[in-house]
Amino acid sequence: MLLTISDTVKTKLQTRGASQIYSSTLDAIVKTFQKDGILGFYSGISAVIVGSTASSAIYFGTCEFGKSILSKLGNYPPVLIPPTAGAMGNIVSSAVMVPKELITQRMQAGAKGRSWEVLLRILEKDGILGLYAGYSATLLRNLPAGVLSYSSFEYLKAAVLARTKQANLEPIQSVCCGALAGAISASLTTPLDVVKTRLMTQIHGEAANKVAAVMYTGVRATVRQILKEEGLIGFTRGMGPRVVHSACFSALGYFAFETARLSILHQYLKRKHEPCSVDVDAASN
């Protein structure tokens, strides 16, 4: 629930013209609840569930695959393996993440209908390429965000394991390292997220906030427009809710990933040693 509320509030605060409507994060929460009730915080939740599950699986899988490949390269600096693997994971997972975020953020900004109805309107108006509106801005945000998040987690994990002399993280350690990694990544990449949100929430007049319907023509033009209208403060819109959302999401994500990784590794080692046990028993008989 907290994840959904923080993400919805973050999007509302980052949409163009939001500074004229909401005076603070609390004000955005109150006005959203007054206008749409509790359901107003769950716009696009079906797209979030489906998209986040798929993109997270692709992201973590690609990161681990990249890390295993890079670690076998003798001349590749070990310190660069986590950021490179994080970048690889984001490039691949963005193919799923961009359409998911596009649908979700348009609904959070005021687009009417269910997730599939918003999807059909986008396809009808702009075709399949319409699902990748703001792709360059998303990739511009996701690459440094992915590098910072995955690298921070790997470095924190290494520091904890070195201090505790353990082979693997305890569950609470995974949660804490994941939350801190997500908070670091979110706080440093919020300006890029603002630009991405502005490009994604252009709905050609569907927005409840009509100011948000004014079109941007690209990343550079969006940056210039934000500076012109709001100054540098405009790039910090929604930072609080975004940090909370990213910290919680990363804590859950890295905990689930570490748990799944250890479970798979345990099953693999168990099956690997089973034939040996059978052979020893047979020989003794």
Side-chain angles (χ1 to χ4, degrees):
M1 180 176 179
L2 180 60
L3 284 173
T4 305
I5 292 176
S6 59
D7 189 49
T8 300
V9 173
K10 183 269 298 184
T11 299
K12 288 182 178 294
L13 289 171
Q14 290 181 348
T15 302
R16 186 178 187 182
S19 59
Q20 302 171 23
I21 301 175
Y22 309 115
S23 59
S24 64
T25 299
L26 180 60
D27 186 45
I29 294 174
V30 172
K31 287 182 177 177
T32 300
F33 183 78
Q34 290 176 337
K35 184 176 184 295
D36 301 312
I38 193 65
L39 295 179
F41 296 105
Y42 291 89
S43 297
I45 191 171
S46 58
V48 171
I49 293 173
V50 175
S52 294
T53 302
S55 63
S56 294
I58 295 171
Y59 170 72
F60 286 117
T62 305
C63 285
E64 281 299 295
F65 177 75
K67 191 168 69 171
S68 66
I69 295 297
L70 293 171
S71 62
K72 296 177 182 177
L73 302 178
N75 297 328
Y76 202 84
V79 71
L80 295 181
I81 292 178
T84 306
M88 293 168 63
N90 269 278
I91 290 173
V92 176
S93 64
S94 287
V96 175
M97 186 180 296
V98 172
K100 180 268 293 185
E101 290 203 13
L102 178 69
I103 294 170
T104 302
Q105 292 196 333
R106 289 199 174 183
M107 294 184 71
Q108 290 171 341
K112 304 302 181 182
R114 299 174 180 270
S115 297
W116 64 270
E117 292 174 323
V118 175
L119 170 62
L120 290 179
R121 284 203 297 272
I122 294 172
L123 291 174
E124 181 181 357
K125 185 172 183 61
D126 302 312
I128 192 69
L129 293 179
L131 292 175
Y132 290 88
Y135 181 79
S136 59
T138 303
L139 202 58
L140 183 66
R141 180 208 65 175
N142 283 356
L143 279 176
V147 168
L148 286 168
S149 178
Y150 191 73
S151 299
S152 297
F153 179 78
E154 287 294 314
Y155 296 148
L156 288 167
K157 175 182 175 181
V160 171
L161 294 181
R163 186 178 182 84
T164 59
K165 308 299 182 183
Q166 297 174 322
N168 299 292
L169 293 177
E170 297 291 336
I172 187 62
Q173 293 171 338
S174 294
V175 170
C176 291
C177 288
L180 186 55
I184 292 171
S185 174
S187 60
L188 295 177
T189 58
T190 293
L192 300 175
D193 191 57
V194 172
V195 174
K196 185 244 356 169
T197 299
R198 295 290 175 92
L199 287 168
M200 279 190 165
T201 52
Q202 301 179 115
I203 323 177
H204 302 276
E206 286 185 50
N209 171 18
K210 296 303 179 182
V211 181
V214 179
M215 298 298 293
Y216 293 102
T217 57
V219 174
R220 186 177 299 179
T222 304
V223 171
R224 285 200 301 263
Q225 194 67 31
I226 294 173
L227 283 172
K228 179 182 177 181
E229 295 179 351
E230 304 171 56
L232 291 174
I233 193 68
F235 292 102
T236 65
R237 301 289 182 193
M239 179 179 286
R242 183 166 187 262
V243 169
V244 171
H245 175 270
S246 183
C248 294
F249 186 82
S250 295
L252 292 173
Y254 283 112
F255 166 72
F257 170 70
E258 283 292 301
T259 302
R261 185 181 67 82
L262 292 176
S263 178
I264 293 171
L265 180 61
H266 176 73
Q267 290 298 322
Y268 170 76
L269 293 175
K270 182 179 179 181
R271 292 184 180 183
K272 185 177 181 180
H273 291 301
E274 279 179 355
C276 297
S277 301
V278 173
D279 292 340
V280 170
D281 293 340
S284 62
N285 291 333

